Each structure stands twice: as C-alpha cells, then as structure tokens.
C-alpha cells in the first residue's frame, strides 16, 4: 500500500515535469528539467525493485546527458522559436493513440501479479538455475553477461557504432586525418 | 514508521522545490532548485532502502551524491562561458 | 539501549525533516534570489546531516554505516561548493542583492 | 483474479472492479507519460525539444517493461552475499531489468548521435526549427527543379 | 575557470573518489547492483568533470584522444575475444564453462569479470570520445541566438 502511494506521488511529479518541459521555451530550462526528470525516474525504478536499472539511469541521466545537451545548445541556439501552427491536430492524434493503448492494457494482467505469464515460468527458471550454474548473488549480472551474452555483445557493438557515428559527424576523425595529410 | 515520516517529509519538500523549479524567475533560481532537488533525491533513496527493509542498495545514493555535482557545474560553466569545452581566448578569465 | 537509540534517531529524523521542509518553504516564499539561496544552502545542509545521522543510528555497525558516512561526506562537500558556485556565477552576471534602503523604497 | 486465465475470460462489467482499477492504474500513468513525449515530438518544432520528447517516450517504455516484472511484496533480484537463498522470499523478475539496463546505455549513445546530427544541421542550414528547415528545403528543391528544367529546355 | 579556487580543490578530491567508485562498481558488480555499463558511464563522468573544470587541454593530457579511440574498439574485442577463446577450448561461443571445465561456476565467474570489463572499456571510450567531439568544436553561437 505504501509503495502504491509513493509511486502515485512520484508519478504525479514526473507528469508535472513532463508537462512543464512541453511548455518551456527556454532550451536551457528544458535541459535542467530533463535532468530532474531522470532523478525522479531513478526513484521510481528503485521503488519497482529494479535497482540495477536505477543505477544505470542515475549514472547516465544526472551527468552525461545533461552535459551533452548543454554542448548541443552551446553549438546551436538557446531559445526555441514561437510555434505558429495550432496544437489541436497533434493533440487529437496523441489522444487517439493513447486511447488505443489504454484499450490494449485492458487485457493485461494486474500490476504486481505473480502469476502473470511474464513472471510465471521464465523468472523462476532463471532464479533457480543461476544459483547453481553461475553462483553469483546478482542475478541481473548473471543473465546480462552469461545467459544473454549474445544480446549484450550486440548492445556493446551498437554503443561502439554510435560512438563512431558521432566521431564521423562532429569531425573528431576528420580533423585528425586532415592534420595527418598536412604532415605527410 | 520513522522512515515513513522521513519519506513523507522529503516528498513534501521535493514538491515545494519543484514549484520553485517551474516558476524560478532567474536562471540561477532554477539551477539552485535543481541542485537541492538532487540532494533530496539522494536522501530519499536512502530512506526508501530502509523503508523496504533492504538498505544494502545505498550505492545509488553514493552515486548521486557524487554525480549530481557535475550537472550543476556544467550548467554554470555553460552560462558563464557559453561553452562546455574551452572558451574562446578572448572570453577567458572574464 | 535500543530504546535510547530509537529515541535518538527519532529526534534526528524529525529534526532533519523539519529543516528540509522549512528550507523548501523558504525557497518557495522568499522574495528574491539571494535570500532563497540562503534558505536553500543552509537549511539543506543541516537537514541532510541530521537525516543521515538518524539513518546511521538505525544502521548499526555494518557496511551500511560506512556507506551512509560516505554519502554524508560527499553531500557535505558538494552541497556548499555548488551553492558557492551558483552564488559566484550569479554575482558575476550582475545579480545584485537588494539592499535594505532599496527594498524600503520599493515597498513604499 | 487468481490466475491469468480468469483475467482473459472476465466479462466487460469487471472494468469497475476495484482490484482491476488499482492493478491497471500504473499502466495508464505510463501511457499518459508516453503520450506527453509523443506530443512533444509531434507538436514542437525545435529539434532539441524533439529529442527530449523522444527521451521521455523512451523512459515511459522502460517503466512499462519494469512494471511487468514487478511482483507485489517482492524484492530486488539480488541474493544475500553468502548465497543462502531463502525460498520464501519473492524476488522480482530480473529479465526486464537486463533488457532495460542495456537499452538505457544504448539510448544515451543514440541520443548523442541525434544531437550530433542537430549540430550538423545547424551548421548546414543555420537553424534548428522544423518550420524554417522545411521552408529552406522547399526553396532548395524549387531551385533545383528550375535549374533542371532550364537545362533540359536548353538540351532540347 | 582559473580563479575558482574552491571549485578546483573540491573537484580534485571528487574526481579521485568518482574513479575509485567506478572501479568498485565495475569489479563488485557480481555482488551488488552495478556492472560494466554503469561503471563505464561513471568513469567517463569523472573525466568529463575534470575536463569541464580544468579545460580540454589538461584532460587531453591525461587521456589523449588516440587512447580513447583505441578503447572504443578494444572493449568489443575483449568481449568477442572471450567468446572466441571459449570456442577454441572446444565449447560454444561465449560459454564460460570452458575456462575451468572441472568446476563450471568458477569459469562463469571469470567469464563475467572479463565480459563486464570489456563492456566497461567500450562504454568509457565511447562516452569520453563523444564528450571530446562536442566540447572540442568551436562555439558558433551568435549573440542574436543567445
């Protein structure tokens, strides 16, 4: 019960921050609010038992993403322009999409249901097997690196590719090549 | 019980700070509110750990205590020098 | 013994919550940036120390105590530093504090 | 609602069931957040704000996944250090945590890619507003069309 | 930021603490929340903080750009190399039982450590190089846009 009430309060704050971000025109305030948004997100993850995810969100949201967004604003502009078009059509589209999604949730099992299909079989299997097969306390690490090792290798490759993409776009590599050409 | 009181108090404080964050007439009000919000989050994570009976997840709170500083410093540097990396030579040490 | 520790941590936590909420109210209600900064930095540090102390008393002798002390130390170092940095940046950018005479003039 | 099969066979009047409402309110909150992000992507012209909107959308998807793995009265899926696993303790589902953990880091990497693209767009066009970009693109298109038609007319 | 004496002293203390904490998260990830992804981001955050306060020239002396670029690929290589090594030992790709066949769970422990280390190296490299790419670009903000 306590958890539900805490979730509700934090969630109300989260939605308030999201709507404030929609309203803000000063891009710098948007960045600041999005860092607060990630703080609240990490709190919600802690309440929902996802400690590892909260850890990642904390590491990413508080430091790096704020710095990167500020770097972008420093290279572009500080305020967003006045919007001339009306918001009615986008609002209609979003409302219809939301209604469809809500209709979709009606068939879902209850929040926190131990017998839900997602929790009934695979969860118990992982928890039982990792005790004997991997023998580390943190099941999340065990699944991440061992049972789903291929997946994580792919994710690492994606992070690597994104880094290469940023270097190609922002000239980290191009500058160096130009310097090398001048030297030779 | 005592941690429930602490959690409720911290939530109230966070809500009030959030109002200042939205309203903040100057930029510096907002930066200050964001920083204080981070501190309150650190404390709330610690309290939530005690509340759920497994206080061995305080690593997240340590992480926030260390990292939340970076955002504040980056924002301030951005406002002072208009950049994240090196300022232009003419603007150095203004 | 445990009753004494419980009472002590109750006192610490109630005090910490009091300072936190009062600091937040101050941030909301004070009229101008420098007074708000005062409310934020001082009350925040006080409330933080008391809350961490209350949690330390409940934790007992364990790794958790060490982690709580680390949290307290880092918050104790970073909080005032960032307040100082905010104040410095605001002063350089030309945010002058409203002095008493001006305030009186404005009010009348 | 003891088993999931009951849930599927529930008649429509079960919507006013209290357990059903409290059990689904969380999902609806995530959908609200998701729609806030979508609205920002669709209705705001500034490219940086679009990226922030995408981030909000992403976070709400993370939460939806995590909430599927949450079990009432459960605890985080980390055993005690001495591996003395108590069979009575309920641990939440660790699988969604694994999926979302990697997704967050990939998310920040792709976000930075998007931000790098925005920086390049600004350098090429001088603006990061969608409306102005569309006008510029249209001007470039008409210019190219005119040149092409002039060229083909010259050829003929 | 030459004249911010308090900031510079505090940041010197904090950077060391953040790097130490990142190493803790990296190698204690089997026992408590954490792992390669988180540790990489935290490690990068330490260098970003140093770069913001002390300037890009200083931080590029500590971690030169070529080191960062090599790190990006090195992590993926460590990860994939771990899998290839297990293949050469006669097991499947990324089956860590190969390292100590008589005691499979020990092999799993070694495998987890190596793989998480690879992930951590890649993420650190990518995050720092992204920061370098954004921060090394000369600011082009016009006064009208400010």
């Amino acid at each position: 019960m306590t958890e539900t009430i805490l979730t509700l309060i934090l969630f109300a704050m989260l939605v308030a921050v999201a709507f404030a971000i929609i309203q803000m025109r000063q891009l710098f305030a948007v960045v600041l609010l999005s860092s607060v948004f990630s703080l609240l997100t990490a709190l919600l993850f802690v309440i929902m038992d996802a400690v590892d995810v909260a850890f990642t969100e904390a590491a990413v949201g508080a430091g790096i993403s704020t710095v990167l967004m500020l770097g972008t604003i420093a290279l572009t502009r500080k305020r967003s322009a006045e919007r001339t078009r009306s918001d009615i059509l986008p609002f209609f589209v979003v409302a219809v999409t939301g209604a469809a999604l809500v209709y979709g949730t009606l068939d879902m099992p209850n929040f926190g249901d131990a017998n839900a299909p997602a929790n009934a079989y695979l969860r118990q299997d992982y928890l039982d097997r990792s005790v004997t097969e991997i023998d580390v306390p943190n099941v999340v690490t065990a699944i991440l690196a061992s049972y789903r090792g291929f997946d994580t290798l792919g994710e690492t490759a994606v992070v690597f590719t994104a880094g290469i993409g940023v270097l190609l776009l922002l000239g980290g590599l191009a500058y160096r090549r130009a310097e090398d050409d001048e030297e030779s | 019980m005592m941690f429930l009181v602490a959690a409720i108090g911290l939530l109230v404080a966070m809500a009030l700070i959030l109002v200042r964050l939205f309203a903040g007439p100057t930029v510096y009000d907002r930066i200050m509110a964001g920083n204080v919000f981070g501190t309150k989050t650190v404390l709330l994570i610690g309290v939530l750990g005690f509340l759920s009976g497994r206080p061995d997840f305080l690593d997240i709170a340590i992480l926030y205590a260390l990292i939340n500083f970076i955002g504040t410093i980056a924002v301030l540097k951005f406002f002072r020098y208009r950049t994240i990396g090196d300022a232009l030579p003419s603007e150095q040490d203004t | 013994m445990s009753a004494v520790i419980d009472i002590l941590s109750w006192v610490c936590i109630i005090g910490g919550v009091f300072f936190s909420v009062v600091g937040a109210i101050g941030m909301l209600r004070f009229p101008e940036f420098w007074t708000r900064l005062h409310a934020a930095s001082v009350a925040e540090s006080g409330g933080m120390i008391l809350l961490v102390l209350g949690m330390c008393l409940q934790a007992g002798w364990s790794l958790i105590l060490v982690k709580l002390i680390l949290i307290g130390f880092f918050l104790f170092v970073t909080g005032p530093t960032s307040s100082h940095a905010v104040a410095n940046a605001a002063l350089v950018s030309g945010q002058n504090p409203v002095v008493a005479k001006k305030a009186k003039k404005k009010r009348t | 609602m003891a088993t999931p099969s009951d849930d599927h066979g529930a008649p429509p009047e079960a919507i006013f069931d209290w357990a059903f409402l409290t059990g689904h309110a969380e999902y609806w909150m995530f959908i609200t957040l998701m729609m806030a992000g979508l609205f920002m992507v669709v209705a705001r012209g500034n490219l940086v704000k679009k990226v922030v909107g995408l981030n909000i959308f992403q976070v709400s998807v993370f939460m939806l996944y995590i909430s599927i793995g949450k079990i009432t009265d459960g605890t985080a899926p980390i055993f005690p250090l001495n591996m003395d696993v108590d069979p009575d303790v309920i641990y939440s589902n660790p699988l969604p945590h694994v999926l979302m953990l990697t997704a967050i880091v990939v998310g920040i990497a792709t976000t930075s890619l998007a931000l790098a693209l925005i920086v390049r767009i600004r350098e090429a066009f001088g603006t990061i507003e969608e409306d102005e970009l569309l006008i510029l693109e249209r001007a470039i298109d008409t210019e190219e069309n005119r040149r092409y038609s002039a060229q083909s007319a010259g050829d003929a | 930021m030459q004249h911010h004496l308090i900031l510079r002293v505090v940041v010197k203390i904090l950077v060391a603490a953040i790097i130490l904490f990142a190493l803790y998260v990296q190698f204690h990830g089997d026992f408590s929340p954490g792992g390669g992804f988180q540790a990489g981001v935290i490690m990068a955050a330490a260098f970003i903080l140093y770069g913001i306060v002390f300037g890009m020239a200083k931080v590029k002396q500590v971690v030169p750009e070529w080191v960062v670029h090599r790190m990006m690929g090195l992590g993926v290589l460590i990860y994939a190399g771990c899998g290839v090594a297990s293949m050469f030992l006669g097991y499947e790709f990324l089956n860590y039982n190969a390292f100590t066949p008589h005691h499979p769970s020990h092999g799993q422990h070694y495998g987890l450590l190596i793989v998480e280390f690879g992930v951590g190296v890649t993420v650190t490299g990518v995050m720092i190089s992204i920061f370098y790419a954004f921060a090394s670009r000369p600011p082009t903000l016009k006064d009208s846009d400010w």
Side-chain angles (χ1 to χ4, degrees), chain E residues 24-45:
Chain E
Y24 164 78
V25 170
Q26 169 84 57
F27 293 111
H28 203 260
D30 305 351
F31 304 103
S32 63
F37 284 102
Q38 294 93 327
V41 176
I42 298 167
M43 183 76 90

Side-chain angles (χ1 to χ4, degrees), chain E:
Chain E
M1 296 205 142
Q2 288 297 315
H3 54 283
H4 277 121
L5 182 63
I6 296 176
L7 208 54
R8 292 162 75 91
V9 171
V10 167
V11 165
K12 267 183 196 169
I13 298 169
L14 270 190
V15 164
I18 294 175
I19 291 177
L20 193 62
F21 186 69
L23 291 175
Y24 164 78
V25 170
Q26 169 84 57
F27 293 111
H28 203 260
D30 305 351
F31 304 103
S32 63
F37 284 102
Q38 294 93 327
V41 176
I42 298 167
M43 183 76 90
F47 290 109
I48 289 175
L49 179 61
Y50 194 80
I52 287 174
V53 174
F54 288 88
M56 295 305 292
K58 276 275 175 61
V59 77
K60 278 184 182 171
Q61 277 180 356
V62 180
V63 195
E65 244 170 309
W66 63 268
V67 170
V68 180
H69 293 165
R70 302 289 188 282
M71 273 168 82
M72 285 166 62
L74 183 67
V76 182
L77 275 183
I78 290 174
Y79 198 140
C82 183
V84 174
S86 71
M87 265 170 83
F88 275 122
L89 289 171
Y91 285 72
E92 296 96 336
F93 188 67
L94 288 175
N95 188 348
Y96 314 130
N97 289 352
F99 299 127
T100 50
H102 52 280
H103 201 314
S105 70
H106 281 191
Q108 293 284 346
H109 290 185
Y110 294 133
L112 291 193
L113 273 180
I114 298 170
V115 162
E116 294 276 3
F117 181 69
V119 172
V121 169
T122 296
V123 174
T124 312
V126 169
M127 292 302 157
I128 298 181
S129 68
I130 288 173
F131 170 69
Y132 281 177
F134 272 93
S136 307
R137 220 164 171 76
T140 53
L141 208 57
K142 282 177 290 187
D143 280 344
S144 57
D145 285 340
W146 183 246

Side-chain angles (χ1 to χ4, degrees), chain A residues 3 11 21-22 24 49 76 80-81 83 85 94 105 108-112 115 118-119 122-123 137 139 155 169, chain D residues 2 4 7 23-24 27-29 40 43-46 49 70 72 74 79 91-93 102 106 120 122 129 131:
Chain A
E3 277 179 5
F11 211 88
I21 291 177
I22 293 179
M24 290 283 172
D49 292 343
T76 52
S80 69
R83 185 79 172 168
R85 256 178 266 167
V94 164
T105 61
M108 277 172 80
N110 277 352
F111 179 75
N115 297 317
N119 297 332
L122 204 54
R123 163 183 156 267
V139 189
E155 304 273 14
L169 277 174
Chain D
D7 212 19
H24 285 66
Y27 301 136
W28 299 335
M29 297 191 298
M40 228 161 120
R44 290 291 173 262
N46 189 291
K49 285 191 81 171
K70 164 79 179 163
T72 315
F79 297 135
Y91 292 103
S92 288
N93 193 348
T102 50
V106 170
R120 295 290 294 177
R122 160 72 210 268
E129 297 292 334
D131 297 350

